[in-house]
């Protein structure tokens, strides 16, 4: 019997970051995705909703996604899950750090979270797939994708992550991005395939020549 999903989207900080609680509605155990900006608020929300934070999931290591990890670790005994390529890329060590690869999974309460390696924005960017919900970090935004002109970025990898990994997910998958950059807070893979220009390019060459001129998001 599969356990019921708990998912909460929280907008924090000056850059419109979305932090998430994702986990088990029955046991009230949750992971925090990309803890940043206001750990006091994250902890008080957890308390208010009777949640125990057991894990920290990192989509990627940019400052606006991880600046609360250290402080959150001071208040919980959570383990930190980061892609192995991202751990190498950012060259930092947290206590209780678990390096994962695409296809691995972990349990939060009785809910399984699967890691998808989606390089492009950074070498170890990853998305989390949980019971038909995709937490997509700075790989896939609503109507856009993450920047590919930063240190460690690769537009070629981004193209593969978008077209070979994310676009192949079930059309009904709900998409929860890493930033509030769109009029709506979440989307579906079907809607993104229909309207997101970065999922429309028919070839890598087309993506590189036309797509990469207009990416301006973090
Ligand atoms: Zn980023």
């Amino acid at each position: 019997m599969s356990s019921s999903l708990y998912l909460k989207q929280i907008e924090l900080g000056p850059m419109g970051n979305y932090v998430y609680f994702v986990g088990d509605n029955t046991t009230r155990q949750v992971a925090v995705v990309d803890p940043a900006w206001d750990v006091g608020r994250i902890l008080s929300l957890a308390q208010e909703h009777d949640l125990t934070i057991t894990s920290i999931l990192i989509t990627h290591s940019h400052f606006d996604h991880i600046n609360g990890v250290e402080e959150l670790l001071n208040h919980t005994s959570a383990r930190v899950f980061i892609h192995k390529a991202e751990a190498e890329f950012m060259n930092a060590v947290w206590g209780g750090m678990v390096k994962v690869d695409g296809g691995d999974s972990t349990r939060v309460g009785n809910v399984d979270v699967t890691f998808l390696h989606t390089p492009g924005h950074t070498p170890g960017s990853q998305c989390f797939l949980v019971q038909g919900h995709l937490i997509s970090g700075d790989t896939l935004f609503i109507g856009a994708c993450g920047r590919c002109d930063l240190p460690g970025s690769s537009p070629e990898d981004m193209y593969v992550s978008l077209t070979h990994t994310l676009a192949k997910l079930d059309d009904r998958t709900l998409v929860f991005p890493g930033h509030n950059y769109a009029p709506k807070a979440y989307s579906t893979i079907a809607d993104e395939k229909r309207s997101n220009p970065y999922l429309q390019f028919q070839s890598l060459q087309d993506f590189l020549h036309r797509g990469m001129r207009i990416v301006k998001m973090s």
Side-chain angles (χ1 to χ4, degrees):
M1 201 177 87
S2 68
S3 214
S4 67
L5 175 69
Y6 182 91
L7 179 64
K8 184 175 178 60
Q9 183 182 53
I10 309 153
E11 186 176 344
L12 289 178
M15 296 168 72
N17 284 84
Y18 282 135
V19 173
Y20 294 91
F21 289 144
V22 62
D24 186 329
N25 194 40
T26 309
T27 68
R28 310 301 284 176
Q29 289 167 301
V30 292
V32 181
V33 176
D34 291 353
W37 301 114
D38 191 347
V39 171
R41 175 105 180 106
I42 293 170
L43 290 168
S44 68
L45 279 170
Q47 194 171 27
E48 193 182 312
H49 295 274
D50 194 26
L51 303 169
T52 303
I53 296 167
T54 59
S55 317
I56 295 170
L57 308 179
I58 306 295
T59 62
H60 69 294
S61 61
H62 284 156
F63 178 74
D64 57 314
H65 294 258
I66 62 162
N67 64 48
V69 171
E70 211 94 28
E71 194 186 339
L72 192 55
L73 284 172
N74 290 336
H75 290 89
T76 66
S77 49
R79 291 181 302 163
V80 185
F81 292 82
I82 185 165
H83 190 273
K84 60 184 187 182
E86 198 70 1
E88 199 175 309
F89 171 62
M90 73 165 193
N91 200 21
V93 178
W94 293 300
M97 191 156 122
V98 183
K99 296 176 196 174
V100 300
D101 205 350
D104 289 353
S105 62
T106 187
R107 284 204 136 187
V108 183
N110 294 310
V111 167
D112 288 323
V113 178
T114 301
F115 301 99
L116 304 180
H117 184 207
T118 53
H121 183 61
T122 64
S125 281
Q126 59 181 351
C127 300
F128 310 117
L129 189 60
V130 194
Q131 295 185 8
H133 299 67
L134 180 80
I135 299 177
S136 60
D138 286 6
T139 299
L140 179 62
F141 293 127
I142 298 169
C145 72
R147 283 176 63 169
C148 297
D149 60 343
L150 301 168
S153 293
S154 162
E156 291 84 1
D157 286 351
M158 177 64 89
Y159 178 75
V160 173
S161 293
L162 292 174
T163 57
H164 291 233
T165 306
L166 300 185
K168 300 227 163 109
L169 295 173
D170 190 294
D171 273 350
R172 293 165 297 181
T173 305
L174 293 164
V175 177
F176 292 84
H179 287 268
N180 179 1
Y181 286 154
K184 57 182 181 178
Y186 62 93
S187 183
T188 63
I189 289 291
D191 279 350
E192 292 313 300
K193 286 201 312 207
R194 244 191 317 269
S195 59
N196 186 328
Y198 297 94
L199 292 174
Q200 315 288 330
F201 296 111
Q202 296 303 313
S203 70
L204 172 61
Q205 212 172 27
D206 204 19
F207 181 79
L208 294 177
H209 287 151
R210 294 198 295 126
M212 286 300 104
R213 287 202 189 131
I214 47 174
V215 173
K216 284 282 173 268
M217 297 194 174
S218 62

